[in-house]
Amino acid sequence: MIPASFDYERARSVEAAIRLLTERGEEAKLLAGGHSLLPLMRLRMATPGLLVDLGGIRELSYVRRSGDDLAIGALTRHCDLAANELARADSPLLAHVAGQIGDPQVRHRGTIGGSLAHGDPASDLPAACLALGASFLVAGSAGERRIPADEFFRGFLETALRPDEVLVEISVPRHAEAGWSFQKFTRRAQDWAIVGVAAVSDGSTRISLVNMGSTPLRATAAEEALAGGASAEEAAARAADGLEPPSDLNASPEYRRHLASVLTRRALEECAAVT
Amino acid sequence: MTATEAPRKGVLGQRLVRREDPELLTGEARFVADLKVSGTLHLALVRSPMAHARLASVDVSPALEVPGVVAAYSGADLEGEWAGPLPCAWPVTDDMRQPAHLPLAAREVCYVGDAVAVVVAESEYAARDGAEAVLVDYDPLPVVVDLEEAAADRALAHEELGTNTSYVWELKPDEAAVEAAFASAAHVVSGRYVQQRLIPSAMEPRGVLVVPQPFGGEFTVYSATQIPHILKVMLAVTTGISETSLRVIAPSVGGGFGSKLNVYAEEVLALTLARMLKRPVRWIETRSEATQATIQGRGQIQEIELAADERGRIQAVRVRLLADMGAYLQLVTPGVPLLGAFLYSGVYDVPAYSLSCRSVFTNLTPTDAYRGAGRPEATYAIERAVDLLARRVGVDPAEIRRRNYIRPEQFPYSSVAGLVYDSGAYEAALDKALQLAGYEELRAEQARRREAGERHQLGIGVSSYMEMCGLAPSRVLASLNYSAGGWEAATVRILPTGKVQVVTGTAPHGQGHETSWSMIAADRLGISPDDVEVLHSDTAIAPYGLDTYGSRSLSVGGVAVAIATDRVIDKARQIAAHQLEIAPEDLDYGGGEFRAKGSPERSMALGAVAFEAFTAHDLPEGLEPNLEASSHFDPPNFTFPFGTHVCVVEIDTETGGVGLASYVAVDDCGNQVNPLIVEGQVHGGITQGIAQALFEKASYDDQGNLLTSTFMDYLVPAASELPSFVTGSTVTPSPTNVLGVKGVGEAGTIGSAPAVINAVVDALSTYGVEDIEMPATPERVWRAIEQGRRP
Ligand SMILES: Cc1cc2nc3c(=O)[nH]c(=O)nc-3n(C[C@H](O)[C@H](O)[C@H](O)COP(=O)(O)OP(=O)(O)OC[C@H]3O[C@@H](n4cnc5c(N)ncnc54)[C@H](O)[C@@H]3O)c2cc1C
């Protein structure tokens, strides 16, 4: 439980962070809330040579309207997002999901940017962002670019971020009028989801899945079935079509597929009830 | 039932807030890791990543290159340092097989986590870096993980033993009677239950700090232990250091549950290295180490059969156990199954009994006592089997229990297994639990939901338990081959100002002994508990004691405090009588004062007596100065607490998720010194039983690698997983001690796991489910439902 030694720099600005990342290359790692990175370091499963702490960049913690979107600073902590009035009004799904993460300690340290950049398929916010059709503003030595959530998650703990890039802002379309639901199945309240389902419905329905593959995923087959006029029950039966969910101590792939269907049906029922 | 001392008005029975809590809640309490001694060296151990392998080579030299590293040793380097192996104090049979067990493995590793080298450094960080640098070559050997395969001896956990069986122990008072009962039984039911391995998970991991006085040749050992007294003796035996040069202190200790009832390699290592290096040496366990190198609990496969007559009255119980010792025998590893072996007839009046236990080695972390030790296993088997019997006979689980209970007038009850149960009123506890739970309404609601085919189905589980605790009458321990006694020591002193000092041989680590012992002394002295201090857990202050485990502290150690207090009052009486010029038997004592019978104005306060005893200016002829007395209490019998728990689960039949809807526990631990502490013990105990039933399991792959080495994978339940417990009690005092107390430290754990699983199986009975393995995970429950749905 003692990490290997590492250098530590506290970045004063996004530019400073990018500079440090550029200088030190792959051995440098950004540190936000530390609640994914530090456990790995303590088990010596991650041994970065340099930690660039973003914690001092206060300007990266905000929730504000930006046109039709809600814009969230990457360093916004889960607890702040969950409690934020604007977020609860404009993206009730995102605020709700943030409030379902881990336990109060985790929510008071973890940040939305860290959660997305970590790219863990078992995390909740990445799937929520997929269902919401979010996009991410990232900044690097080559300047800024915007990446749609659908193109962001590339593999297990792997994202479209380049080694010198910082995730700066998350934009989600406001969905105050839409039906939405988040179904998280756990054995203990504080746990990661064994399977989770996020759904947003306003005319069309987007469904995404937590912990059903090596990345957060859209339930495409179910979405298509719905678009083709299937009932919630019929569509939900197809939630795991084509997926290869993981096997672990909590669940076999077969059980995960079953859960995905049950939770998708419940999510769709709840979406319908909200609208 | 003879009540020695019924509850009466006084300090006993009051819900006093624990005096231990402010320092724990404010962070003022000092645990081993909080103790800072300048010049301390830190240890890090290199642990085997293989479950079974020969050590081809261990090269510690790269560690010496790491800045801050002071020394590094392999097991072979230190082989000459040990005066004896790590101790096992319970050789249950004369022919028990036992592998050599040294603090550092020198030739062979036998489980993942077995330590092969130690690095000593100026900081914890340097020690850890040094440990990473050590190079070890392992030649893999066949690995034994599965208990039944171990019993078949296909591969051997220790080749040199020639078998995996450590011992076979039998309790067969009358086999012919058992066979006859099964031959003529109207109903025979049988069950096979797996007691999964559990990781104890005390809040504070282990830790040890040894401070040597190089010139005096003395060592102070601070350890997060439940057994400072036993540890001191065992450290002397394993290191060859004289007992007179050792002082063991258990500072604040953050829970143990049996996991700190042991003598561990790291304690012996730290002492040895402090002796070699002449500097303070410290080792603090990491949580991941705790999952591998601290003993684990349970690990049994049980086969139980009941023979019953037409009405379901049990005529015989037959049990076969297969017990997992793990890789080595720790302090009481082999004895754990024996602590339950006498109790497989539960709370029932059973005329014939047969039990055999085979204990085997595996290449896994050693097992040992874990909250309840043997008794939760026994209770689980009989309470699950009795539910099965109810189903065969076609009666309600509560009714089958009523038909079989030992009746109040049968106490003291001589059990077929050879114990004498002190007192009990089992049906009264059942009645109270059913009433608190609203049993009839629950059954109606269950029927309604079944009828309506609702998604959430109810299950109601009942479990009646009885356990033996108060370890233990020393003669009984002798008959079980245990190598120590079971008595406890207490000294009570009235100080010159009239304040009271109690010194106890128990070693509390969360149980609240300071509060309870002060109440016991204060109650007898008629003073405020605030005027009583309680000293413990330091062998220089409390030289004798057998420490804290097995729900023994109150019914043995607390009773010793009561007896010593009475002895002090007797001496004080002589002094007061002398001062008041009156015969001792003409004095009444109460409210902290001696008063002449008939003329209460002639009185003398305890404080005044104490001062007389201290100055010794005018004592009765031949009486020694000072007011002090001791007791070394050896209990005449175990005590046998009991109770009934009712658990209600709500099962989501789509996902298999099990929710706890409500939980009622009625426990009878005899007279209660402090009901608040009793409830605290019951709450924690229930939680640990629920944990086994629904959440926890130490999982291994087929190569003996632990898959649950963090709290992400090893699911300890938290408050959010639990309902608010409803606790009630009945009071049936024990006639075997002056306080009429039993024990309550383990009761909750013993009663709860079967109540939960009985509830889960009850909910699933409409799907034809008769059993579900612990932990009843959502996937297991879902599969059971799926199977039942199939035509
Ligand atoms: C006990 C526990 C329970 C948890 N339960 C859940 C749960 O139920 N659901 C859930 O979703 N999560 C859960 N988490 C994870 C938690 O939400 C983490 O906080 C989050 O995943 C990571 O955020 P962070 O700010 O802590 O990131 P860090 O740990 O600081 O960083 C994570 C990774 O992201 C990178 N990074 C961080 N910020 C940026 C940025 N702005 N730009 C680019 N890269 C960046 C880091 O370099 C690192 O690789 C849990 C964590 C713990 C410890």
Side-chain angles (χ1 to χ4, degrees):
Chain A
M1 300 311 255
I2 291 185
S5 75
F6 54 87
D7 296 336
Y8 174 86
E9 295 276 359
R10 201 167 164 79
R12 300 281 162 219
S13 64
V14 173
E15 297 70 44
I18 294 169
R19 207 176 321 117
L20 284 162
L21 290 179
T22 314
E23 275 166 31
R24 294 287 289 264
E26 303 251 356
E27 65 155 347
K29 267 277 180 199
L30 296 174
L31 175 70
H35 267 47
S36 289
L37 184 54
L38 294 187
L40 293 177
M41 289 173 61
R42 286 161 68 91
L43 294 169
R44 299 200 169 194
M45 284 157 68
T47 50
L50 169 69
L51 280 191
V52 179
D53 189 350
L54 302 175
I57 312 178
R58 291 269 162 77
E59 314 82 81
L60 277 189
S61 173
Y62 57 85
V63 178
R64 59 183 174 235
R65 280 190 178 150
S66 162
D68 288 340
D69 287 345
L70 185 71
I72 300 135
L75 273 169
T76 308
R77 299 196 192 277
H78 306 326
C79 66
D80 294 330
L81 184 55
N84 186 278
E85 290 298 334
L86 200 57
R88 289 159 65 123
D90 284 0
S91 185
L93 172 66
L94 201 64
H96 172 78
V97 169
Q100 300 297 303
I101 293 171
D103 54 30
Q105 286 99 317
V106 174
R107 296 197 287 273
H108 277 81
R109 293 297 307 170
T111 66
I112 185 168
S115 179
L116 295 167
H118 193 56
D120 185 343
S123 285
D124 302 318
L125 287 169
C129 284
L130 278 183
L132 288 167
S135 67
F136 309 136
L137 182 67
V138 308
S141 50
E144 289 188 348
R145 62 186 181 125
R146 189 169 283 278
I147 311 173
D150 279 326
E151 292 164 23
F152 187 74
F153 304 104
R154 294 283 173 84
F156 184 70
L157 304 188
E158 206 188 307
T159 67
L161 281 171
R162 298 185 190 124
D164 68 339
E165 281 179 329
V166 179
L167 173 53
V168 178
E169 185 181 274
I170 294 87
S171 296
V172 297
R174 284 146 58 185
H175 66 99
E177 306 302 320
W180 62 272
S181 176
F182 182 61
Q183 303 286 327
K184 181 174 179 177
F185 188 77
T186 58
R187 286 177 63 191
R188 299 178 306 177
Q190 67 199 41
D191 286 331
W192 270 268
I194 295 174
V195 173
V197 174
V200 184
S201 173
D202 54 352
S204 71
T205 302
R206 294 171 65 100
I207 307 166
S208 66
L209 304 169
V210 181
N211 218 359
M212 282 295 288
S214 56
T215 64
L217 292 161
R218 295 271 295 279
T220 352
E223 287 178 355
E224 282 164 8
L226 276 181
S231 69
E233 177 104 35
E234 289 160 353
R238 307 196 47 197
D241 277 12
L243 302 184
E244 285 181 33
S247 173
D248 57 31
L249 291 172
N250 283 321
S252 64
E254 184 192 3
Y255 180 51
R256 279 208 161 83
R257 280 199 193 91
H258 168 75
L259 284 177
S261 292
V262 171
L263 299 178
T264 300
R265 196 204 69 230
R266 290 181 185 177
L268 294 175
E269 285 167 1
E270 200 175 44
C271 278
V274 175
T275 35
Chain B
M1 184 186 85
T2 48
T4 320
E5 190 171 296
R8 59 195 158 80
K9 219 172 148 314
V11 182
L12 292 190
Q14 286 187 21
R15 304 174 65 87
L16 294 192
V17 196
R18 301 197 325 168
R19 64 165 64 171
E20 288 88 345
D21 290 341
E23 69 166 37
L24 289 170
L25 295 173
T26 56
E28 207 175 274
R30 278 151 52 94
F31 298 88
V32 174
D34 297 321
L35 305 176
K36 299 279 186 284
V37 178
S38 62
T40 295
L41 293 170
H42 301 257
L43 303 188
L45 290 142
V46 180
R47 298 188 182 279
S48 170
M50 317 218 53
H52 198 194
R54 214 162 274 129
L55 288 172
S57 73
V58 180
D59 180 7
V60 298
S61 59
L64 298 171
E65 309 291 313
V66 173
V69 169
V70 170
Y73 306 97
S74 69
D77 294 338
L78 294 183
E79 238 183 328
E81 295 293 323
W82 321 123
L86 288 173
C88 170
W90 203 337
V92 292
T93 62
D94 295 335
D95 60 356
M96 181 182 85
R97 291 180 196 84
Q98 187 174 359
H101 189 196
L102 296 178
L104 279 186
R107 267 169 282 283
E108 190 176 319
V109 288
C110 295
Y111 69 97
V112 173
D114 213 354
V116 299
V118 60
V119 175
V120 190
E122 299 286 353
S123 76
E124 240 169 310
Y125 289 82
R128 188 41 58 203
D129 287 344
E132 290 251 301
V134 172
L135 297 172
V136 188
D137 267 349
Y138 299 92
D139 286 342
L141 291 167
V143 176
V144 185
V145 174
D146 180 81
L147 207 42
E148 281 166 331
E149 277 179 25
D153 277 345
R154 271 194 282 280
L156 297 180
H158 298 278
E159 270 169 59
E160 72 283 6
L161 297 181
T163 171
N164 289 321
T165 296
S166 175
Y167 68 84
V168 174
W169 187 91
E170 294 188 328
L171 177 57
K172 297 187 171 174
D174 186 349
E175 278 301 274
V178 173
E179 267 152 39
F182 275 95
S184 64
H187 302 281
V188 172
V189 294
S190 63
R192 177 185 178 277
Y193 305 116
V194 178
Q195 298 281 337
Q196 76 271 35
R197 277 175 166 258
L198 301 173
I199 297 173
S201 311
M203 253 201 241
E204 180 206 20
R206 291 187 293 125
V208 58
L209 165 68
V210 180
V211 182
Q213 288 171 292
F215 300 103
E218 287 174 2
F219 301 87
T220 304
V221 178
Y222 299 88
S223 183
T225 182
Q226 298 175 228
I227 52 164
H229 296 92
I230 296 173
L231 180 60
K232 180 180 154 179
V233 177
M234 294 300 182
L235 285 176
V237 174
T238 48
T239 62
I241 295 172
S242 165
E243 210 186 331
T244 54
S245 301
L246 289 173
R247 174 180 181 185
V248 176
I249 299 174
S252 279
V253 176
F257 313 112
S259 70
K260 294 171 183 165
L261 157 53
N262 232 304
V263 176
Y264 280 104
E266 295 85 358
E267 290 167 319
V268 179
L269 259 178
L271 177 57
T272 300
L273 292 168
R275 172 170 65 177
M276 289 168 65
L277 302 169
K278 299 186 168 30
R279 283 178 65 179
V281 167
R282 170 182 122 125
W283 173 78
I284 303 295
E285 187 178 51
T286 67
R287 187 55 77 179
S288 319
E289 279 182 300
T291 63
Q292 298 187 333
T294 289
I295 63 97
Q296 296 181 355
R298 316 283 189 265
Q300 268 188 18
I301 296 176
Q302 315 169 290
E303 287 171 8
I304 183 168
E305 297 166 280
L306 307 184
D309 68 12
E310 204 66 50
R311 298 194 62 240
R313 280 180 306 222
I314 304 166
Q315 303 303 313
V317 174
R318 186 157 56 200
V319 178
R320 272 182 303 276
L321 302 180
L322 191 56
D324 187 353
M325 305 284 95
Y328 299 105
L329 302 181
Q330 285 276 356
L331 193 61
V332 299
T333 304
V336 172
L338 269 63
L339 289 170
F342 298 83
L343 302 177
Y344 280 80
S345 50
V347 280
Y348 310 114
D349 188 10
V350 173
Y353 194 84
S354 169
L355 177 140
S356 70
C357 172
R358 174 183 297 273
S359 288
V360 298
F361 294 107
T362 54
N363 292 118
L364 301 177
T365 295
T367 61
D368 207 317
Y370 175 55
R371 203 168 191 171
R375 291 151 290 163
E377 294 92 312
T379 306
Y380 186 81
I382 181 68
E383 286 307 287
R384 292 284 303 114
V386 164
D387 254 31
L388 212 52
L389 180 61
R391 218 190 270 197
R392 287 288 183 283
V393 178
V395 298
D396 187 89
E399 173 59 22
I400 198 81
R401 289 174 169 81
R402 286 185 204 283
R403 288 183 188 179
N404 282 289
Y405 283 144
I406 298 162
R407 296 182 311 282
E409 64 274 18
Q410 288 175 282
F411 290 92
Y413 174 84
S414 295
S415 84
V416 62
L419 298 172
V420 179
Y421 303 169
D422 55 352
S423 60
Y426 301 152
E427 197 164 6
L430 173 82
D431 285 335
K432 187 159 184 182
L434 296 183
Q435 182 241 322
L436 284 173
Y439 192 69
E440 296 303 321
E441 299 87 85
L442 283 170
R443 286 284 175 211
E445 171 64 10
Q446 177 182 47
R448 189 195 64 73
R449 291 195 192 187
R450 279 182 178 163
E451 193 73 15
E454 285 185 17
R455 183 197 289 173
H456 290 102
Q457 292 291 325
L458 277 193
I460 306 150
V462 176
S463 137
S464 292
Y465 75 91
M466 176 275 298
E467 58 141 332
M468 63 183 212
C469 65
L471 305 183
S474 299
R475 282 167 192 229
V476 177
L477 290 179
S479 74
L480 294 173
N481 264 15
Y482 184 64
S483 9
W487 48 268
E488 194 47 83
T491 298
V492 175
R493 300 188 175 102
I494 317 290
L495 304 174
T497 59
K499 304 276 180 185
V500 178
Q501 185 177 70
V502 170
V503 183
T504 176
T506 64
H509 42 283
Q511 294 85 350
H513 294 176
E514 292 178 22
T515 302
S516 298
W517 288 196
S518 73
M519 290 172 73
I520 291 170
D523 183 71
R524 301 182 105 74
L525 291 166
I527 60 174
S528 161
D530 293 341
D531 289 332
V532 183
E533 73 167 338
V534 178
L535 306 178
H536 58 82
S537 306
D538 177 347
T539 60
I541 289 172
Y544 282 108
L546 286 166
D547 307 313
T548 288
Y549 44 87
S551 303
R552 69 185 303 273
S553 294
L554 175 60
S555 64
V556 190
V559 169
V561 171
I563 294 171
T565 308
D566 291 347
R567 288 182 182 156
V568 163
I569 295 173
D570 281 346
K571 184 170 182 187
R573 182 186 303 276
Q574 294 181 52
I575 298 170
H578 176 74
Q579 293 282 327
L580 296 171
E581 297 177 339
I582 193 173
E585 54 278 14
D586 290 336
L587 281 177
D588 282 331
Y589 182 73
E593 246 185 5
F594 288 99
R595 265 173 258 96
K597 287 188 173 129
S599 47
E601 68 289 352
R602 284 178 72 190
S603 71
M604 189 167 180
L606 184 66
V609 180
F611 196 70
E612 285 299 333
F614 174 66
T615 62
H617 291 175
D618 182 18
L619 294 181
E621 204 48 49
L623 198 71
E624 290 181 358
N626 277 331
L627 266 182
E628 166 175 334
S630 293
S631 162
H632 294 83
F633 177 63
D634 198 355
N637 191 3
F638 296 97
T639 60
F640 297 85
F642 61 89
T644 289
H645 291 196
V646 178
C647 174
V648 183
V649 298
E650 201 169 55
I651 291 187
D652 181 336
T653 53
E654 286 185 348
T655 62
V658 178
L660 288 163
S662 64
Y663 198 102
V664 171
V666 173
D667 295 284
D668 190 323
C669 58
N671 290 335
Q672 300 188 4
V673 172
N674 183 333
L676 199 60
I677 290 180
V678 169
E679 280 165 28
Q681 290 291 319
V682 169
H683 279 225
I686 294 171
T687 303
Q688 269 167 313
I690 289 173
Q692 178 175 13
L694 297 180
F695 295 98
E696 298 182 14
K697 178 186 180 186
S699 293
Y700 288 90
D701 69 12
D702 61 2
Q703 288 306 302
N705 296 302
L706 181 64
L707 304 174
T708 52
S709 61
T710 74
F711 283 156
M712 241 177 79
D713 307 303
Y714 188 80
L715 305 187
V716 179
S720 27
E721 281 67 61
L722 305 168
S724 282
F725 302 136
V726 176
T727 55
S729 59
T730 57
V731 175
T732 310
S734 173
T736 63
N737 63 65
V738 292
L739 292 174
V741 295
K742 300 186 173 183
V744 75
E746 295 156 303
T749 309
I750 292 168
S752 56
V756 177
I757 296 296
N758 281 345
V760 173
V761 173
D762 180 55
L764 300 179
S765 60
T766 48
Y767 299 98
V769 175
E770 293 210 325
D771 188 36
I772 194 148
E773 200 175 310
M774 294 189 288
T777 61
E779 176 158 1
R780 276 188 176 147
V781 171
W782 172 69
R783 286 190 183 280
I785 294 171
E786 286 294 292
Q787 199 149 25
R789 275 191 178 138
R790 259 171 237 142

